[in-house]
Amino acid sequence: MPLYVPKSINLSLNEEQLKAVFRKHDVNGDGCLSKDELMKVFSELGSRNPSWRVRRSLHHADGNGDGTISLDELDELVKYVAKQGYGIN
């Protein structure tokens, strides 16, 4: 009898774990997440359309309208992402 192994496992992440995923993608270390960095995060989180999700995230969390997510805005972003049910695939 073959053992069933799923292609991917969707694990829910708490807010602190989501923050760590976002911080990990701040590759240039400027304390802000650019659109490209956000795109990589949403790809890792399994988004079917990462560019759309980036635009929606900026709409919800980019309080000062500079086109990036700063550390001050990260909490709002994480709340939005958690509400959408993202986890690690």
Side-chain angles (χ1 to χ4, degrees):
M1 175 180 207
L3 177 65
Y4 173 72
V5 179
K7 287 184 180 179
S8 67
I9 299 172
N10 191 1
L11 302 174
S12 295
L13 300 175
N14 66 34
E15 290 188 6
E16 287 304 314
Q17 291 168 321
L18 282 170
K19 283 182 188 179
V21 171
F22 280 103
R23 286 186 188 122
K24 175 180 85 171
H25 284 84
D26 180 19
V27 292
N28 61 3
D30 66 352
C32 293
L33 292 165
S34 68
K35 289 179 184 178
D36 288 338
E37 291 168 334
L38 288 169
M39 185 89 80
K40 290 175 185 171
V41 175
F42 283 110
S43 291
E44 181 177 317
L45 293 175
S47 175
R48 291 184 184 154
N49 191 341
S51 61
W52 184 83
R53 189 55 66 192
V54 167
R55 288 191 306 274
R56 297 304 304 153
S57 296
L58 289 170
H59 174 76
H60 285 279
D62 184 16
N64 62 6
D66 67 352
T68 64
I69 300 295
S70 67
L71 292 178
D72 294 335
E73 298 163 331
L74 187 59
D75 287 337
E76 201 61 37
L77 174 64
V78 167
K79 287 178 192 174
Y80 169 73
V81 171
K83 184 177 170 183
Q84 302 306 311
Y86 279 96
I88 295 292
N89 285 328

